[in-house]
């Protein structure tokens, strides 16, 4: 395998791995937070606005870790500095 | 294996891995949120609209991590920049 | 192994892996949601229509992640762009 | 190993893996849903018809993911397009 | 190893793996459903016929995933199309 | 290794793996069902006959998956069609 | 390694693996059933004979899966048909 | 490695693996049964003889799976038929 | 592979692995903290400001471990000292 | 590696593995039984002698599986028949 | 690979692994502590200052293990004595 | 690698593995027993001497499995018979 | 790879592995202890000083295992006797 | 790799592995014991001295398994008899 190919291969594999593995934790964490919020609203309907607000802030915070992964995955596919360097080095 | 083939191989494998592994967390998380919402509606039927709304926003948020994975998988199959580069490089 | 064969091999393996691994999460998540819905109907029979509706929307949402996997698996078997490219390249 | 053999090998292995791994999630999910339904009927015998209906719809939904796996497995054994292509290519 | 042998080897291994791994989920799921049914009958002896019927339908549904695996395993041992093709190809 | 030996090796290994791995799920499932039945009889001694009958049907159902594994294991040791074919082919 | 040795090696390894792995499930399952029976006798001493009988039938049923494994292990060590065939073939 | 050595090596390794892995399940199962029995005696001191008897029968039953493993391990070290055959074959 | 390529490869793979694995713990931990906070607000609405403040400080603390990972990942992609050293050494 | 060395190596490794892995189950099982006994004595101080006796018999039973492992480990280090045979064979 | 490259490679990989794996435990531990603190404040709002203080000391203590990992990771990237030694040795 | 070195290597590795893996189970088991004893003393302070005695006997029993591991580890480092044999054989 | 490099490589890798893996247990253990202490203070505010003192002693005890790991890691990076010996041996 | 280097390598790796893996169990076990003690003190403040004493004895006992690991790790780094033997043998 040429250097060209090996960097493409590892970028593809890592991009997929990053986004799929990075979805595991946030999805479970958000599921837990949402389940708790829904149970709380049923128990205390009057506090629904406060609870929703707290839930959405928490979901955004948790989602951020998934977004880090998505960002890294997109960088690896579309703005990979190593790929650019190899292409520049080999004059392609 | 030629460079051509190795990139195809890793793209196929990563696309499948990404979408299947990325389905694990969201499915479990959504199952938990849905289970909680259904129990909450049974306990407090009057709050059903609020609960449903909260549930659907949460499901959408959780589903988003599965969709990231599906998007990356589709990119790897149908719009893979490394594949295009290799095809351009080898003049195929 | 020729390039021809290696792409066939990885497509077959990935198609099977994708659909089987992708069935794990949704099946468990749906089982949890369904168990919760059934317990809720037994506890609050009057709310059965609302509960059923919420259950079916949730099941559809969870099933969607399994369907992503099935779609990717079918694409890899019957509409694999890399396979077509290799066949075109080798004139077969 | 010839290309002929390697595709047969991977098809056999993937068919078995797909159907056996794909049985894990649905069997556990259905077991959970059924356990919940039975407990619910014992608790609320009057609602048995509604509960049974909800259970069977849920079981069908969960079973669908096992059926996806069985379908892919059967395709790989009896209607494998890669196998047909290799047989056509090698004139066998 | 000849092609002949490698297909036999993988068929034997996959047949065993399929049936043994495929027994895990259904056995656990059936155990859970049966445990729930027995507890329910003890709690509500009058509903025993309904409960038994629901249990047996559920067990049949769960057992079906184990039977898929057994069927695939038997096909791989006694009606393996790849084996037949290799035997035909090598004139044995 | 000759073809002769490799098929013997894989048959021995698979036979053992199948029966031992296939014992895990049924043993746990039966343990759960039995535990539940015993607790139920203690709680409702009058229903003991019904409970025992339900337990034995369930145990038989669960045991069936272990028996599938034992059957496949015995076939691989004493009635292995691939072994017969190889012996016929090599005239031994 | 000669064919002779490799079959001995795999028979030894499989015999040990089968009996040790096959002990895991039954031991846990029997522990659970026994724990349940003991708790039940303490709670309902009058039903001790019925409970003991149910326990021993269940233990026998669960133990049967461990015995399958022990039988296969003994067959592999003392009545291994592949070993006999290889010894016959090599005239030893 | 000579045949002589490889059979010794695998016998040693398997003997150790069998007895150590085979200790895991029985130890946990016996721990559970014993814990249950002790709690039961504290709760119902009058039934101590019945409870002890049930406990010891159960422990013996569970211990039997560990003893299978120990027996196989001892056979592999001190009465290994494959070792004897190899020693006879090589005239040592 | 040249030194140039191997450092690029490992940097890409490590960057993805770091950010995706590093998302698992924080997402689960934040999900737990948020779930607890929402349940607490529902139970004691008057203490919502105190609870929110405590929650946000805790989320920030937990998020910090995810941010460490993101920072290391970014350093590996965009400010990798080893990459710079290799580029300097090879005069590229 | 000479035969001499490989048998020493595998004996050392197996001895360590056996005793360390074999300590896992008994330690957990004894911890559980002891915890249960202590709680039972606190709850029913009058039954302390009966409880202690039951505990010590159980601990001895559970410890026996750890002792099997220790015995096998000591045999492998100090009374290894394969080692003796190899030493005798090589005249050392 | 030159010595130069292999040390760079292992430093990069270890730096990422250290910080990401080291984030798992602290994040889960902090999540647990925070969840407990929030529940405690809701239950006893008057003790909020004491609880917050205890929480923050605990979080700092737990965070310290994550910081150890971050420090080691930074040392490996920016102040790696082995890298310096190799650079000095090779006169680069 | 010479025989001399390989036995040293495996002794070092096994010594470390044995003592570290062998610490897992006893530490968890002792933690459980101690936790139970402390809760029991708080609940029944008058029985503290009996409880402490039972605890210390149990801890000693559990610790014994860790000590087996430590003993084997020390034997492998400081009194390794295989090492002595190899040293004697090579006249070192 | 020269001896020089291989020792550097393994020291770097082990240093990172040690500190990150060694952070897992202490962080979880401290999280559990802290959670318990916070819940205890909320339940019994008057005993806060005693509880805090017990907590801090326990945290220090648990932290000590993390510190062992950090110390070993630092020794491997900055005071590695094997590294010094190799440097002395090779006169570098 | 020379014998010299391979023993250094395995000593370094084993030292780190031993101390980090050996920290897992004790940290979790101590966390559990401490959590139990703190809850017990809150519930029964008068028994604090007895509880503390029991806790510290237990922590010391559990810590001992971590200390075994630390001791073995230190021996491997600073007083490794195999290292000394190799150095003596090679006259370094």
């Amino acid at each position: 395998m040429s250097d060209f190919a090996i960097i493409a291969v590892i970028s593809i594999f890592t991009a997929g791995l990053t986004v799929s593995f990075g979805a595991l934790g946030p999805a479970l964490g958000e599921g837990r937070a949402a389940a708790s919020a829904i149970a709380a609203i049923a128990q205390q309907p009057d506090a629904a606005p406060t609870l929703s607000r707290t839930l959405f802030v928490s979901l955004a915070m948790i989602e951020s870790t998934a977004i880090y992964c998505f960002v890294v995955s997109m960088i690896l596919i579309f703005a990979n500095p190593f790929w650019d360097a190899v292409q520049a080095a080999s004059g392609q």
Side-chain angles (χ1 to χ4, degrees), chain A:
Chain A
M1 265 187 303
S2 63
D3 284 10
F4 196 71
I6 186 71
I7 290 182
V9 160
I10 206 73
S11 300
I12 292 170
F13 181 71
T14 306
L17 186 77
T18 303
V19 81
S20 63
F21 195 85
L24 184 61
L28 294 178
E30 293 180 7
R32 185 168 195 173
S36 175
I38 290 166
I41 291 175
Q43 179 192 334
Q44 195 81 4
D46 298 342
T50 311
L51 291 168
S52 298
R53 209 175 42 236
T54 308
L55 173 65
F56 294 146
V57 172
S58 302
L59 288 184
M61 201 88 185
I62 300 172
E63 187 77 9
S64 74
T65 61
I67 289 171
Y68 294 166
C69 295
F70 189 56
V71 164
V72 169
S73 179
M74 287 294 106
I75 288 173
L76 291 183
I77 296 179
F78 293 116
N80 194 323
F82 301 105
W83 174 257
D84 298 344
V86 170
Q87 278 189 319
S90 63
Q92 287 177 318

